[in-house]
Amino acid sequence: VERASLASLEERDELFVARESVYHRLVRLLADRGRQAEAVYLLDRWRSEPFPAISPAPFSAANVLSGLPVVARVFLSLDDELLTWQLAGGEVLLERRRIARRELQTLVQSSRREVRSGTIGAASRRLSSLLLEGFDTPPGTALLLVPDAILFSTPFAALPDPSTGRPLGMEKVVELSPSLRVWSERVS
């Protein structure tokens, strides 16, 4: 029984990974057509699948943070670009950055090494610029970060805040979640 269970977990993992490129293409297509709320909804629905306790009920990506002092950033690294959505005040805004997935992965690894050594170097500053610049986060607002697999190991709280240069975790409350739905279930 245990071996059969493991096989089904492995099969589920393989299926999840195999579907990843399809979801990425669909999300990019929606983003290209200016349908940002739908792109985030689809991406978040896919990212929530591994969590069976999370409700599959539809939700509005634009309103998931309604009434809360939280700004969310949802990241998706594609082969040739990084898509970053900011959700705040019922709006879903997209910022696109040209960077290859491999280069982004290298930046994350380099930034982790810098942080472990107690320094903030060029990799951490560049990563901070890529991930944190471009959107306003009002003072007193928590920052919910929803990274993809490439970015999940990023030392976000240690990255320099683009506006002050101080570690982000000293400037803001920083939360990480694998998906908006997972975060929403946790806080409700």
Side-chain angles (χ1 to χ4, degrees):
V1 173
E2 188 172 322
R3 179 171 269 203
S5 175
L6 180 59
S8 73
L9 283 175
E10 287 173 0
E11 289 170 2
R12 280 189 285 180
D13 286 347
E14 287 174 14
L15 180 60
F16 186 79
V17 169
R19 293 173 47 221
E20 180 179 45
S21 67
V22 173
Y23 272 93
H24 284 186
R25 280 185 258 151
L26 287 171
V27 169
R28 178 181 257 171
L29 179 65
L30 290 167
D32 289 346
R33 295 194 173 169
R35 296 165 60 182
Q36 305 316 327
E38 292 172 76
V40 171
Y41 171 82
L42 183 64
L43 180 60
D44 200 70
R45 185 174 143 198
W46 171 66
R47 287 182 178 174
S48 299
E49 281 184 12
F51 304 94
I54 301 300
S55 168
F59 77 101
S60 166
N63 295 322
V64 71
L65 308 172
S66 183
L68 298 172
V70 176
V71 169
R73 292 210 178 147
V74 178
F75 301 98
L76 176 62
S77 51
L78 300 171
D79 289 337
D80 60 342
E81 71 178 330
L82 173 66
L83 303 181
T84 305
W85 290 270
Q86 178 156 308
L87 287 70
E91 288 188 305
V92 181
L93 304 172
L94 171 65
E95 172 117 355
R96 298 177 104 125
R97 305 278 176 135
R98 282 276 181 222
I99 184 167
R101 181 183 286 147
R102 284 183 185 259
E103 183 182 352
L104 189 58
Q105 202 166 20
T106 300
L107 273 175
V108 169
Q109 292 166 352
S110 297
S111 178
R112 288 173 50 88
R113 280 192 298 275
E114 289 174 359
V115 168
R116 278 195 302 269
S117 74
T119 62
I120 298 298
S124 294
R125 286 191 295 280
R126 172 109 196 275
L127 198 54
S128 173
S129 176
L130 284 167
L131 303 178
L132 303 173
E133 284 183 353
F135 298 113
D136 290 330
T137 305
T141 304
L143 185 57
L144 170 61
L145 302 171
V146 184
D148 64 3
I150 298 293
L151 295 172
F152 213 86
S153 66
T154 300
F156 285 101
L159 293 179
D161 183 313
S163 61
T164 67
R166 294 182 51 183
L168 184 65
M170 293 181 73
E171 299 289 321
K172 303 186 181 324
V173 173
V174 179
E175 295 187 57
L176 286 178
S177 180
S179 81
L180 291 169
R181 287 174 194 258
V182 169
W183 180 83
S184 181
E185 290 275 330
R186 187 183 62 77
V187 298
S188 61

